[in-house]
Amino acid sequence: MPSPRPTPLHQVHQSLGATLTDFAGWHMPVRYSGDTAEHNAVRNNAGLFDISHMGEIRVSGPQAGEALDYALVGHASAIKPGRARYTMICNAEGGVLDDLIVYRLEEQEFLIVANAANAGVVHGELVERASGFTATVTDASDQYALIALQGPEAAAILGPLTDTDLDQVKYFAAYSAQVAGKQVLLARTGYTGEDGFELFVAPDDAEALWQALTEAGRERGLQPCGLSCRDTLRLEAGMPLYGHELSSEVTPYHANLGRVVKLDKPGDFVGKKALAEAAQQPTGKTLVGLVTEQRRAPRHGYRVLDPEGTEIGVVTSGAPSPTLGHPIAMAYVNRDFSDPGTALQVDVRGKAMAVEVVELPFYRRKA
């Protein structure tokens, strides 16, 4: 197997003493000071993440919007320049191939951000699906490093470094900006449940930008953060992770994300027939939240049982919640057992642990 690929910030992570791991073919920081400390920093102050492993794909040309309308479940051509949308790319059966963010940079230019493990699949599908349109699909991943600044202090840290009035940068907006003298695409997006920003920057400028943000956040509790706390943050916020809550075996409707499917947009799109049927007649399992007062957390792959001990589902993600102080999990369960307040069990290595179904997300930030 090839060696994991370093991000443009690899030397920074080594100098900070990060624990590194192979993640989706990249050498990524798992943690620096510790999972709980990093998690709490993001909830209470701010955290700085290297997410340069994500894939970036450009779609440009006179029919770029129409091509994406056909390729994705969302209505990309309705996105205004400078704005972004969360969406998905599905197969003909309605199964999710990846969840994405689509940024409309200009009238005829879009930037698609895909999960690292799926970037090649997404690029290949977009090339194939755009072939009947006047549009060009380009893998632009090597043109970007990506830094996420997340937490309630994010705007206060970033503000003095940029020429952009952050009060005017709405959630899911993206603008060309100068930050610490570097040209970036500045997006108000994130994967933590907190306010924050994602900065797309040239790889050669990544280290200088990271250091400038670190210095600006020194008095505001900013900490470098790794993949481990990113996972507990997104879990608390009820955000799906591909390979856990999302896969080609489930539709957006199974994951309670049917809102991203725009069945009423003009024209056909890949998976439309299957998704229209799923919208009318939901079948199979549905995604729920689970909580327990026990100390051990339900983990990915653990079986979910009804009160009589019959298997009715499976845990997709689970962990102790640093913010809430008790274990939480997401799971797919039979729809008959999905109402909040339903008492269920999880098989934890042969022992039944009591859990309760709750609404997602587990955590919402204060406005």
Side-chain angles (χ1 to χ4, degrees), residues 4-24:
R5 181 180 177 183
T7 77
L9 291 163
H10 184 73
Q11 301 265 343
V12 172
H13 304 320
Q14 287 187 315
S15 70
L16 292 171
T19 300
L20 297 161
T21 191
D22 182 356
F23 181 80

Side-chain angles (χ1 to χ4, degrees), residues 81-267:
R83 301 308 302 269
R85 291 288 183 274
Y86 175 74
T87 188
M88 296 180 185
I89 183 168
C90 291
N91 58 27
E93 293 72 40
V96 179
L97 297 177
D98 202 12
D99 60 336
L100 314 163
I101 295 183
V102 178
Y103 297 91
R104 190 168 198 167
L105 306 183
E106 297 176 9
E107 192 65 32
Q108 297 186 11
E109 186 171 4
F110 296 79
L111 184 68
I112 318 299
V113 178
N115 286 294
N118 298 332
V121 170
V122 173
H123 176 254
E125 288 291 334
L126 289 177
V127 168
E128 182 177 337
R129 297 179 190 191
S131 62
F133 299 85
T134 309
T136 302
V137 178
T138 306
D139 184 351
S141 301
D142 289 343
Q143 298 174 23
Y144 296 101
L146 184 52
I147 297 172
L149 174 65
Q150 301 282 299
E153 294 287 339
I157 292 168
L158 183 60
L161 297 177
T162 181
D163 59 349
T164 301
D165 181 359
L166 298 182
D167 289 337
Q168 302 302 311
V169 181
K170 299 177 181 179
Y171 191 50
F172 269 72
Y175 300 105
S176 178
Q178 288 276 324
V179 176
K182 305 300 181 184
Q183 189 65 38
V184 305
L185 175 66
L186 175 63
R188 199 161 204 155
T189 47
Y191 192 52
T192 63
E194 297 297 338
D195 186 23
F197 304 87
E198 294 179 328
L199 295 87
F200 299 79
V201 64
D204 289 346
D205 291 336
E207 188 168 333
L209 181 59
W210 177 283
Q211 300 295 6
L213 290 166
T214 297
E215 186 60 34
R218 198 174 301 280
E219 301 301 319
R220 293 186 176 274
L222 176 69
Q223 288 195 32
C225 295
L227 291 175
S228 186
C229 85
R230 184 171 166 86
D231 192 48
T232 52
L233 289 161
R234 70 92 191 168
L235 175 57
E236 289 183 347
M239 295 177 169
L241 175 63
Y242 197 89
H244 289 248
E245 289 70 44
L246 301 176
S247 74
S248 61
E249 303 303 312
V250 300
T251 73
Y253 294 99
H254 289 100
N256 297 321
L257 291 168
R259 65 183 183 275
V260 308
V261 182
K262 304 304 179 185
L263 293 170
D264 58 349
K265 64 180 175 179

